[in-house]
């Protein structure tokens, strides 16, 4: 039976890993790690489920161990954050290039220097081109559910790509809130056993990770891009099926208060909750578009959702230095190229700076001023201490 | 030819089809009468293209030998001679 | 929605106090949320933690600037930070101190409890979080005593749990008697 409980976001993820019958977990259990892998280790020690737990000496090794394990056709999991994800960088590309359906939770945290352990999304945004599917979640419940969905997406025969579930570090990982833990049998039915067509098998030997010279490398990359296109459809189907089985779903993007909204805020992750609360508090007719899927980018769905919008303000926890705006804003401009929609950006919450309802109100106000034809800043940094610059 | 997923090679031993002996300038010639059967050439050949025939003699697979001369260099009795190959 | 801000020092369990409160509210059938201010935790450093209780799912994830309640676990903090900042005038402050009266920069009611003594008596260590939650339950009625005890039993290993349940009960009764 599914049961409602109250727990940390990290624990919710560990519960998902247990429910998914993950066979191999590799982790580097030192900062910047979360208690996700700690909770999994405890569950294994208590005999709550059976898996190989590999303690490695770095995140680079953690992902390498996941690649080896996944190549044998075993369902594989790891979790990391910030510098840990950065240290994995080169191996991320190997996981996706070898088409291994590894699922990883990244607790979104800022990158050093200066040293900062707090939340923002610069770490995973920096890995957007690494060939991983990326989902961004709003709540601890969605983190749990998305891990289950992630395996279904990753392991689909038309996809076979790794999936990164991004949850805001601390803001979700360290928050206690109510979570419904699904029934194991239902998860088993939702998630068939992994069948990796190119798995290592002594009966049918294959060479993996071989040379792809200039004659073939481009074809491999194009195959990955085609798999990414499939992932869009597969993710939508996986979410619909999830809703059918478990009674809740999220879509690949979420539209809030969007009917006839001329001003729309766009964001990813947990700050969507604060934005919804602010919209309701103000009784505002501003809409919110929350992207749950960032890779593959749901271009058509975004265009459809924003068809009536006149001004968009992208609130995001990352910035592309030297380009003066966040990655999501840039990508939205690309997706909406040729339309008349005015696109503004708000860089917010870097390095754990709290994003308040007041910051959201200011972002709404700036967009509304733009709608009235007033001159406004194209990109604003929410809550920036100008006097400290 | 269709590239398998992730450029996997699904047919074992398929690299044998790629004959690399053509890179060679010198080829090893084994003087069997001087061979003391120590096996050094077999051990040291980086291409693993030296094997023993039914008579127990060490022979070189010229489809894959690149003429590096390591076998000749290692042979304690100088039973292997590197000879300029006429093509 | 009720918002509660906890002030403590590293090692006093302010973060756990917020967690326990959220768990207790959940056991009471409500929605709840708790999170720390995510400092670089070290023993003795000022720590802030937050909890929210509501009848519907809590979407707001910013820190708490205008709390309904503040819970101060260490009286020495009063000299260091403005613990009552933003406290609603209709709200309540609960301070751990041996003094019977405390002047705070607020129009809200100020209540005191000697949680350090309770913790030393019952637990033998000056970790006051469970006593403070017991007193908070009695003072505000936002969570039931039963649910606080259930949360404590869930959070701590058995032996430790029972001692902390006792701390909750003693503080609850002491607070109740004061009202």
């Amino acid at each position: 039976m599914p049961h409602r409980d109250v727990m940390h976001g990290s624990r919710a993820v560990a519960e998902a890993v247990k429910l998914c019958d993950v066979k191999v977990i590799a982790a580097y259990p030192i900062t910047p790690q979360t208690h996700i892998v700690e909770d999994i280790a405890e569950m294994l020690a208590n005999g709550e489920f059976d898996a190989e737990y590999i303690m490695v000496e770095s995140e680079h090794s953690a992902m390498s161990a996941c690649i080896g394990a996944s190549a044998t056709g075993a369902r594989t999991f790891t979790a990391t954050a910030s510098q840990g994800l950065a240290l994995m960088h080169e191996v991320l590309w190997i996981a996706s290039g070898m088409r291994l359906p590894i699922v990883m939770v990244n607790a979104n945290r800022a990158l050093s220097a200066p040293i900062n352990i707090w939340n923002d999304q610069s770490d995973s945004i920096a890995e957007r081109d690494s060939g991983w599917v990326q989902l961004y979640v709003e709540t601890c419940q969605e983190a749990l559910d998305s891990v289950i969905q992630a395996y279904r997406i990753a392991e689909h025969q038309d996809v076979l790509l790794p999936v990164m579930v991004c949850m805001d570090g601390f803001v979700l990982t360290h928050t206690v809130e109510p979570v419904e833990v699904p029934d194991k049998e239902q998860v088993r039915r939702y998630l068939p056993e992994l069948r990796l067509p190119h798995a290592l098998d002594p009966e049918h030997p294959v060479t993996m990770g071989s040379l792809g010279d200039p004659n073939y490398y481009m074809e491999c990359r194009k195959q990955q891009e085609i798999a990414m296109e499939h992932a869009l459809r597969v993710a939508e189907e996986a979410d619909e099926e999830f809703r059918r089985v478990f009674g809740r779903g999220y879509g690949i993007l979420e539209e809030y208060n969007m009917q006839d909204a001329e001003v729309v805020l766009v964001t990813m992750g947990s700050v969507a909750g604060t934005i919804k609360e602010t919209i309701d508090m103000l009784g505002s007719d501003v809409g919110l578009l929350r992207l749950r899927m960032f890779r593959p980018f749901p271009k058509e769905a975004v265009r459809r959702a924003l068809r009536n919008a006149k001004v968009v303000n992208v609130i995001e926890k990352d910035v592309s230095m030297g380009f003066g705006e966040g990655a999501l804003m840039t990508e939205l401009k690309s997706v909406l190229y040729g339309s008349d929609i005015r696109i503004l950006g708000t860089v917010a919450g870097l390095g754990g700076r709290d994003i308040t309802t007041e910051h959201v109100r200011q972002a709404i106000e700036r967009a509304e001023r733009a709608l009235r034809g007033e001159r406004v800043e194209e990109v604003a940094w929410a809550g920036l201490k100008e006097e400290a610059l | 030819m269709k590239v398998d997923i992730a450029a996997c090679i699904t047919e074992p031993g398929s690299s044998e089809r790629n004959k690399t002996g053509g890179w060679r300038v010198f080829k090893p010639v084994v003087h069997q009468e001087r061979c003391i059967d120590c096996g050094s050439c077999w051990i040291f050949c980086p291409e693993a293209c030296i094997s023993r025939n039914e008579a127990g003699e060490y022979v070189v697979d010229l489809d894959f030998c690149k003429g590096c001369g390591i076998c000749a260099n290692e042979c304690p009795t100088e039973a292997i001679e590197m000879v300029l190959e006429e093509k | 929605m009720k918002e509660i801000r906890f002030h403590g020092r590293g090692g006093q369990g302010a973060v756990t106090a917020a967690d326990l409160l959220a768990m207790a509210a959940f056991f009471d059938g409500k929605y709840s949320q708790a999170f720390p201010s995510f400092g670089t935790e070290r023993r003795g450093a000022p720590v802030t933690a937050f909890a929210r209780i509501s009848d519907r799912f809590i979407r707001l994830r910013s820190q708490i600037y205008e709390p309904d309640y503040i819970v101060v676990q260490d009286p020495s903090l009063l000299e260091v930070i403005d613990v009552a900042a933003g406290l609603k005038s209709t709200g309540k402050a609960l301070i751990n101190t041996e003094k019977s009266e405390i002047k705070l920069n607020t129009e809200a009611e100020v209540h005191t409890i000697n949680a350090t003594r309770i913790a030393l008596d019952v637990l033998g260590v000056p970790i006051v979080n469970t006593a403070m939650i017991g007193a908070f339950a009695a003072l505000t009625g936002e969570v039931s005593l039963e649910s606080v005890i259930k949360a404590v039993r869930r959070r701590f290993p058995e032996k430790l749990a029972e001692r902390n349940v006792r701390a909750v009960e003693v503080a609850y009764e002491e607070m109740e008697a004061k009202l």
Side-chain angles (χ1 to χ4, degrees):
Chain A
M1 284 290 287
H3 69 280
R4 271 172 58 77
D5 205 342
V6 60
M7 63 184 79
H8 282 116
S10 291
R11 180 78 194 185
V13 169
E15 293 284 350
V17 171
K18 181 170 92 173
L19 285 168
C20 291
D21 279 327
V22 173
K23 290 288 179 285
V24 180
I25 297 114
Y28 181 59
I30 305 174
T31 298
Q33 189 51 273
T34 60
H35 37 298
I36 294 172
V37 297
E38 226 174 275
D39 286 344
I40 292 172
E42 192 184 306
M43 287 169 166
L44 288 170
N46 291 342
E48 292 176 43
F49 74 113
D50 190 25
E52 280 296 326
Y53 191 99
I54 310 171
M55 286 239 267
V56 288
E57 65 286 347
S58 76
E59 287 83 359
H60 189 282
S61 306
M63 185 46 62
S64 301
C66 284
I67 288 171
S70 183
T72 69
R75 191 170 284 160
T76 305
F77 178 85
T78 189
T80 192
S82 62
Q83 308 304 129
L85 185 66
L87 187 55
M88 277 182 191
H89 172 72
E90 63 155 336
V91 205
L92 293 179
W93 292 67
I94 296 171
S96 60
M98 286 174 70
R99 307 292 301 277
L100 298 172
I102 299 163
V103 170
M104 168 163 67
V105 168
N106 179 55
N108 280 116
R109 282 157 66 161
L111 290 161
S112 297
I115 295 173
N116 181 294
I117 59 165
W118 293 266
N119 165 239
D120 73 30
Q121 296 175 343
S122 318
D123 55 352
S124 56
I125 294 287
E127 302 302 341
R128 66 177 182 180
D129 297 334
S130 65
W132 283 60
V133 172
Q134 284 194 352
L135 303 173
Y136 288 77
V137 306
E138 184 189 327
T139 65
C140 298
Q141 181 74 62
E142 192 182 328
L144 187 159
D145 294 343
S146 295
V147 169
I148 301 172
Q149 290 191 7
Y151 281 110
R152 175 125 169 178
I153 300 165
E155 294 171 4
H156 193 286
Q157 301 298 303
D158 293 343
V159 178
L160 295 172
L161 289 172
V163 178
M164 195 185 298
V165 176
C166 302
M167 69 191 293
D168 284 315
F170 294 107
V171 181
L172 291 179
T173 54
H174 289 57
T175 288
V176 168
E177 67 184 29
V179 169
E180 184 176 296
V181 180
D183 174 67
K184 181 129 191 168
E185 276 314 307
Q186 274 182 319
V187 174
R188 278 202 179 122
R189 277 197 295 279
Y190 175 78
L191 203 58
E193 272 197 33
L194 166 59
R195 199 181 62 76
L196 186 67
H198 55 305
L200 293 173
D201 173 6
E203 299 297 316
H204 305 95
V206 296
T207 300
M208 294 183 89
S210 65
L211 188 75
D213 68 13
N215 284 318
Y216 300 113
Y217 186 88
M218 276 185 78
E219 285 69 25
C220 289
R221 280 288 176 265
K222 182 65 181 175
Q223 286 175 348
Q224 268 178 268
E225 185 52 36
I226 293 167
M228 272 285 183
E229 284 165 27
H230 290 156
L232 207 56
R233 166 181 56 81
V234 170
E236 273 180 321
E237 289 168 2
D239 189 68
E240 280 162 24
E241 176 68 6
F242 193 90
R243 189 185 290 277
R244 208 181 57 70
V245 176
F246 301 98
R248 58 180 175 271
Y250 307 92
I252 53 172
L253 45 78
E254 180 193 1
E255 298 178 44
Y256 186 79
N257 207 36
M258 286 284 279
Q259 55 283 29
D260 310 322
E262 293 188 312
V263 171
V264 176
L265 302 180
V266 179
T267 201
M268 299 195 295
S270 67
V271 75
T274 303
I275 295 174
K276 290 174 193 169
E277 201 61 35
T278 311
I279 290 172
D280 289 1
M281 211 169 68
L282 299 171
S284 171
D285 52 9
V286 165
L288 166 68
L289 177 65
R290 175 173 75 93
L291 264 77
R292 184 164 169 259
M293 191 169 213
F294 182 62
R295 282 292 180 275
F297 197 97
K299 295 180 184 175
E300 272 313 311
V302 166
R303 282 190 201 112
R304 217 167 31 243
L306 293 175
R307 65 193 177 282
N308 295 324
K310 298 225 161 48
V311 180
V312 160
N313 193 345
V314 185
I315 300 180
E316 57 187 313
K317 297 175 178 176
D318 68 284
V319 63
S320 175
M321 274 170 285
F323 207 70
E325 60 191 45
L328 182 56
M329 178 180 179
T330 308
E331 297 200 351
L332 215 58
K333 283 181 181 170
S334 155
V335 166
L336 298 174
Y337 180 73
S339 87
D340 297 329
I341 301 175
R342 175 84 194 275
I343 299 167
L344 305 173
T346 303
V347 175
L350 297 188
R353 177 72 53 87
D354 197 27
I355 303 177
T356 64
T357 53
E358 175 57 19
H359 295 146
V360 178
R361 195 194 59 74
Q362 288 166 3
I364 291 172
E365 195 195 4
R366 187 157 53 91
E368 285 175 337
R369 287 200 347 252
L371 183 68
R372 292 195 297 270
E374 292 175 35
R375 282 179 66 121
V376 297
E377 267 183 302
E378 194 189 0
V379 178
W381 290 47
L384 190 72
K385 295 170 184 157
E386 298 280 354
E387 71 281 8
L389 295 178
Chain B
M1 189 187 83
K2 192 173 151 40
V3 184
D4 274 313
I5 185 165
C8 280
I9 299 163
T10 51
E11 192 188 329
S14 60
S15 61
E16 277 185 13
R17 261 186 256 139
N18 187 14
K19 304 228 189 296
T20 50
W23 301 8
R24 196 172 52 234
V25 178
F26 293 94
K27 70 172 181 184
V29 175
V30 185
H31 300 287
Q32 300 294 348
E33 70 281 6
R34 271 185 256 162
C35 176
I36 57 168
D37 204 14
C38 70
S40 292
C41 57
W42 176 79
I43 289 169
F44 281 98
C45 175
E47 288 292 330
C49 64
I50 295 180
S51 59
R52 298 180 85 171
N53 64 15
E54 283 175 8
E57 296 167 341
Y58 288 95
V59 291
V60 180
D61 186 342
L62 292 174
D63 280 346
F64 300 103
C65 171
K66 297 185 178 58
C68 69
I70 288 175
C71 52
N73 194 56
E74 292 297 332
C75 179
T77 60
E78 296 180 356
I80 301 176
E81 183 187 359
M82 299 306 289
V83 179
L84 186 67
E85 191 168 16
E86 287 174 28
K87 290 180 186 168
Chain C
M1 183 165 71
K2 292 293 165 62
E3 298 187 306
I4 304 100
R5 194 172 66 210
F6 291 80
H7 295 279
R9 289 190 181 274
Q12 292 176 336
V15 175
T16 304
D19 285 4
L20 288 171
L21 184 61
M23 289 165 76
F26 172 80
F27 295 140
D28 279 339
K30 292 181 183 160
Y31 285 94
S32 59
Q33 180 197 69
F35 57 99
S37 70
F38 326 132
T40 39
E41 283 81 3
R42 59 207 188 276
R43 188 164 284 270
V47 166
T48 312
F50 309 95
R52 292 188 169 100
I53 302 173
S54 175
D55 294 327
R56 52 189 200 96
F57 182 78
I58 299 157
R59 301 176 298 184
L60 187 63
R61 294 190 187 277
S62 62
Q63 295 180 10
I64 293 170
Y65 299 95
E66 292 175 4
D68 296 276
Y69 304 105
I70 58 162
V71 178
V72 181
Q73 301 204 138
D74 191 312
S76 73
L77 286 169
L78 302 178
E79 293 152 28
V80 189
I81 43 173
D82 182 10
V83 292
L87 177 61
K88 286 181 185 150
S89 58
T90 53
K92 288 175 184 171
L94 176 62
I95 319 278
N96 168 29
T97 172
E98 68 271 17
K99 294 178 191 153
S100 56
E101 223 173 298
I102 285 276
K103 283 301 278 177
L104 265 192
N105 183 25
T106 178
E107 290 169 37
E109 287 176 31
V110 180
H111 297 265
T112 63
I113 181 100
N114 193 346
T116 304
R117 184 189 38 74
I118 297 172
L120 286 173
D121 284 355
V122 180
L123 305 172
V125 287
I127 300 175
V128 296
N129 55 359
T130 45
M132 291 304 280
I133 293 293
F136 179 85
L139 175 66
T140 67
E142 296 292 349
V143 284
S144 69
L145 177 62
E146 297 70 39
S147 292
V148 171
I149 290 172
K150 188 172 168 184
V152 168
R153 290 213 167 106
R154 173 77 84 82
R155 187 56 177 262
F156 297 103
E158 205 178 331
K159 250 175 130 177
L160 202 55
E162 286 320 304
R163 287 211 300 272
N164 277 287
V165 165
R166 191 67 205 130
V168 168
E169 287 169 342
V170 171
Y172 186 93
E173 284 158 24
E174 218 168 277
M175 193 71 229
E176 215 177 21
K178 281 189 173 195
L179 295 172

